[in-house]
Structure formats: structure tokens, C-alpha cells
Amino acid sequence: MSALPEQKPNNDNLLMWIKALGLCVTYISVGPGLIVVNKHILHDLGFSYPVTLSSLGQVFIAAVCWTLVKTEKASISPEAWEQVTSRTGMLGCFLVGLFKALTLSFGNAVYLHLNMGYIQMLKAFSPVLMLFLLVITGVEGRPKFMIMLSVLAIALFTAATTALESHATPMGLMLMALAQSTECFALVVTQFLLKKKKMSIIESQCFLAPPTCACLFAFAAFGGEWTTIYVQQDYKIVSDNVVLFAAAASLGSVVNYLTFAVIQATSGTMLKVLGTVRNIIVVIVGATMYHESIPMKEWLCYGGTLFGFMSYTYQSINKGKEAPPATPKNDLPPSDEDKQPLKPSS
């Protein structure tokens, strides 16, 4: 009896999970810094131009990526060029740019109307919408019941904290709803381009950041932001706080890069769940910096959100471990009798 071939341990899955974990931790860590910096610029400095502020990170990352390509530190494959120049590719890039520009504009504008903690709690509804869009568009298959239950628990527990908010405005709620809707659409198309079209992160940034910048510039120009900045000489706020605006641009580009990296390594729904955990961190940081009191009921809801997040993570990790039983295969070639057609019995 011949010995079985020695099977070498495969470390690819371990390295994949370590990379995904590192990206998720970095995404959760960097995001709150960007939110606090943007809020400080919009509120404390009085630079109430959310569209212009949103464009800084996109301009920065587009410049960095194309500089890497032009200096041959990175490359764009011929397959990527072919995909982008196709009708579907051009439409996908335009839609991502448009929806991302709308998301950034609405997302920063809402800080002028709602409290930071309340905004983060409203964001908890997005994982449910994100999962729904991914399923109906066919980007992901039908999720397991426990995954759907975990995502729903995240939304319900975090949304329960909004019952204590008494300073919500109709304009703020409308902006928040628009920001969440456009962000989910942008993430669905982005995940399609990254996973179905097999684009790298640098390639996706090179192709998606420029249309996003173009849309943001159009919104800022036709929306009157640039005219108001020039007339009221608010550009002096930028010149007087160059370091702070540079931090906003660099952090925005890092968050944008990590967003694509997390989507490629995991999924768009995991990105939204990580965003929910990040939002809890922002609420705690905001309460510490802005001295906002958090009742015990809200802390209990935070605990429920973390429980839903851990449940979702566990179900996602074990989703691919259940493989269907292998069909026994006969490695021997068919005999001559097997090749003969069956004869009807008399």
C-alpha cells in the first residue's frame, strides 16, 4: 500500500486573516482622527464649506497614486486599462465618483446640523442597507441567517440611543439619510470593481479618485462655496492653519485608501460594521473632548452593538469553513465495457 503524499501546512489563509485584521484595526484607529479634525475645521475654525473640505483628501490621494504610476513605483495592468475604457468600466467609475462625492459632501455638511455622537449612532443603520444592496445586486450571495441577525442587532442597539437625542433637526436628518444612501451605493459599485473586475487598490484609486474630485469641484463651484470663500476671504483660514488642513487631506487620503483595502480584503458589509465600532469610539472621544454626558442606557446600547459586531465577525470568519462533501472520483480510466452504450433489455 502506497503511502499518502505528505501535506504541507498552508499558511496562505493565516496570512490573509492577519492582513485583514491589521487593515481593520488601522481603519478603526485612523477614522476617528479624521472625524475630529473635520469637525474642528467646520465648527471651531468657522470654515463651513463641507464640499471643499471633502475634496482635499481626494486630491491628495489622486496626486500620490498617479505620481507613483508616473515614476514607475506602481503600474497599471493592461487588463485594468481595458476594463476601465469599456462602457461598463467608465460607467462604474463615474457612478463611484458621483456617489462618493455626494457622500463626502452630505457627510461633512451634517456636522453643521447634528451633534457628533448622534451622527455616529445614525450611521448604525447602514450595515442593514449595505447587506441588502449587496444581495439584490448579486455582488454577494445570500448571507446566513446568523449574519443577518448580527447586522440587524448592530443597527437596533445603536439606533436605540437616538431616543435620548432631543436636538435633531429635519435638515440634519435629511442630510444623514442622503449620506448613508449614497455611501452604500458607492460601496456596492466599488466592491464590484475591486472583486469582480480584479482591480488592485492603486489602480482603483487612479481611476476613481479623479472623477470624485471632478464631481466635488463641480458641486463646490456651482453650489457657491468657492464664490463665498473668495468674497468673504475665508481662504485666509486655510493659510493660517496650513498644518491642520494638511492633516485633514492626509488623513482623508489614508481613510480612503483603507476603505478600498478593507473592501478588497473582506467585504463592503464588514466595512460598515467596522464603521459602527469606529463610531462608538468617536462618541467616547467626543464625549471626552466636548464634555457630553452619556447616560447608562447609551452605554448598554454600546455593549449590545459590540456584541452584534463580535457575532458578525465570528460568523463571517466561519462562513467559508463549511465545505460541501467531496464527490468521490474514480481516477481509473473507463473500461471498454463502460464506453459501450446500454442495450435495452429484452
Side-chain angles (χ1 to χ4, degrees), residues 157-335:
F157 273 114
T158 51
T161 61
T162 61
L164 301 176
E165 176 61 37
S166 59
H167 299 89
T169 63
M171 177 59 69
L173 293 176
M174 183 185 69
L175 289 173
M176 195 65 206
L178 291 173
Q180 293 302 295
S181 300
T182 54
E183 183 180 19
C184 288
F185 280 111
L187 289 176
V188 168
V189 181
T190 300
Q191 185 165 339
F192 173 79
L193 292 175
L194 288 177
K195 289 194 171 182
K196 300 295 184 180
K197 296 296 184 180
K198 303 299 182 182
M199 281 190 185
S200 68
I201 299 176
I202 294 295
E203 290 171 344
S204 62
Q205 298 290 354
C206 288
F207 294 132
L208 299 179
T212 304
C213 292
C215 292
L216 287 171
F217 291 162
F219 296 160
F222 293 103
E225 278 196 3
W226 288 354
T227 303
T228 306
I229 292 174
Y230 178 78
V231 171
Q232 297 186 1
Q233 297 184 349
D234 285 339
Y235 51 82
K236 294 181 179 180
I237 300 177
V238 181
S239 60
D240 294 338
N241 301 273
V242 175
V243 176
L244 191 60
F245 279 88
S250 58
L251 285 175
S253 62
V254 171
V255 170
N256 191 62
Y257 179 87
L258 289 173
T259 299
F260 283 81
V262 170
I263 292 175
Q264 191 178 58
T266 57
S267 67
T269 305
M270 174 59 81
L271 179 75
K272 298 309 301 177
V273 176
L274 290 174
T276 300
V277 177
R278 183 192 66 182
N279 296 337
I280 295 176
I281 299 175
V282 173
V283 172
I284 297 174
V285 173
T288 304
M289 294 180 59
Y290 296 97
H291 306 288
E292 298 177 358
S293 61
I294 301 179
M296 181 56 65
K297 291 182 180 180
E298 293 192 22
W299 287 113
L300 293 176
C301 292
Y302 295 162
T305 302
L306 290 176
F307 176 79
F309 169 75
M310 289 186 292
S311 175
Y312 175 85
T313 305
Y314 175 80
Q315 296 296 330
S316 298
I317 291 176
N318 291 275
K319 181 174 60 175
K321 291 185 177 180
E322 298 179 1
T327 303
K329 294 174 62 178
N330 185 6
D331 295 330
L332 298 176
S335 61

